[in-house]
Amino acid sequence: MMKKQDDVSKTKTSVNPIFTTKLGVLLVTLGSAVGLGNIWKFPALTGMNGGAAFVLIYLLCAVVLGLPVMLAEHAMGREGRKDVIGTMQKLAPKSLWWVIGAIGILAAFLIMSFYSEVAGWVVAYIGKAVTLGRLSTDPATNSQIFTDLVTDPAQSLIWQWVVLLATGLIIALGVVKGIEATIKRSLPLLFVLLVIVIVRSVTLPGAAAGLEFLFKPDWSKVTFTTVLTALGLAFFKLSVGMGCMMTYGAYFRKDQDIPVTATRIVLLDLLISMMAGLAIFPAVFAFGFEPTAGASLLFITIPAVFASMPFGNFFMIIFFFLTALAAMGAILSLLEVITSYLENNFKLKRATATAVTIGGIALFGVPAALSNSSTASWLVFGKTFFDFYDFVTSNILLTVGGLLISIFVGWVWKYPKLNAQLSNQGELQNEKVNKFFFFMLKFVTPVLIFLILLSGFGLVK
Ligand code: PHE
């Protein structure tokens, strides 16, 4: 049966005017996936969790669990054509499944509260490339520069607010339309710059140890918690499990090939992450940094690579600028989850919804921004606010969200509805692929996520 679907450009409910071409859909969705998760978080967690073995588990989580959930979200979003909660209410009226949407909105809010801080550090480092003059390869010097930044409460707050304000301005000025054009240019540029950094990094004396760290698994470091961390990272990096992909799916064109789009996003996202790893780890070992440096790893290692290159400061400006743009693509997608809900349910204008959301994040972001200074001793379950927001979102909200989404699609929404979306109402001849993904969503994804969650929290051994 051919069901009449609104054309994106004609759909009224909070439709983002950016999704008008197929390539645009891919780019903007990719813009959500590629961000600080790839450039900052992936290297940080890989370093803290022992390298190659973690990378392998993470790859498996992204492909086996992340991809099916992503395409399920796109399909549900395009069927619902509403915000996260609205879509769930439309797909499963008079039930509790709207909770998936509520989890998404909460997750988007908490992620933004710490993500905007890291984006703030990135912006601050654009300035450092100018003010530092000669860059250093010395671990102690570079660590000190980072520590000075993050332990200064005034700077921590200001840089976060700069990011939030810039985000608000982009939306208020309606430049969102330009985001597709920006991503079209900035992602390939980021790719090229990463290639340059990789070439320098892997040719440093002593770089081989970094490659070994990244590619030679040492399974002795792997625990159940590592697996949960890898799963959380995979979902975080792909922006799945919290309705972000569902919200964007609502803007997909009716002739968008969802399985192909989702697969491309997952592969490109993996590629950029691996490239960030290749840019960072050889240098970490060549210069004697600690791979376990965590949140600071990107910020202390990258300047050292640039220090050993001609025009290093110039390249560093471009690198952090492009990273800031990548972060912006992700931030805009997070905002969209919340603002589309506020617009639809409280009949707020887009500008008001954005202002309310950004104001809220500025407030909730304060304790996260000050986690290395004034609020360092405020612990929630033994974690600073920054770490707590990060842990709760990646490891709990996104994984539980992904679990519920797969159960919903596999057991409630069922194959015919999923297939109708994945095949564009029968226009695409991709039954086999769709059956495979349905099988994954019904049996494999929920069981694996459930087991990883239980074991990650020490409930089964
Ligand atoms: N995927 C983004 C990144 O890697 C972060 C993100 C998470 C964006 C969840 C939207 C939703 O940086």
Side-chain angles (χ1 to χ4, degrees), residues 106-124:
L106 177 65
F109 201 80
L110 294 181
I111 292 175
M112 291 247 276
S113 301
F114 76 90
Y115 199 88
S116 55
E117 177 60 19
V118 185
W121 299 340
V122 170
V123 177

Side-chain angles (χ1 to χ4, degrees), residues 32-33 35-38 111 115 236-239 242 244 330 333-334:
S32 165
L36 298 173
N38 306 59
I111 292 175
Y115 199 88
F236 181 88
K237 276 179 24 50
L238 295 174
S239 315
M242 43 78 64
C244 195
S333 73
L334 284 160

Side-chain angles (χ1 to χ4, degrees), residues 140-190:
T141 311
N142 288 3
S143 296
Q144 194 56 48
I145 294 168
F146 179 76
T147 309
D148 287 346
L149 170 69
V150 301
T151 52
D152 178 352
Q155 286 202 61
S156 303
L157 282 181
I158 288 170
W159 290 118
Q160 183 180 44
W161 289 343
V162 164
V163 168
L164 292 176
L165 216 70
T167 315
L169 274 179
I170 288 181
I171 293 174
L173 294 174
V175 203
V176 177
K177 282 186 200 146
I179 190 89
E180 179 184 323
T182 314
I183 292 174
K184 205 187 253 170
R185 291 183 189 91
S186 65
L187 270 186
L189 266 181
L190 181 65

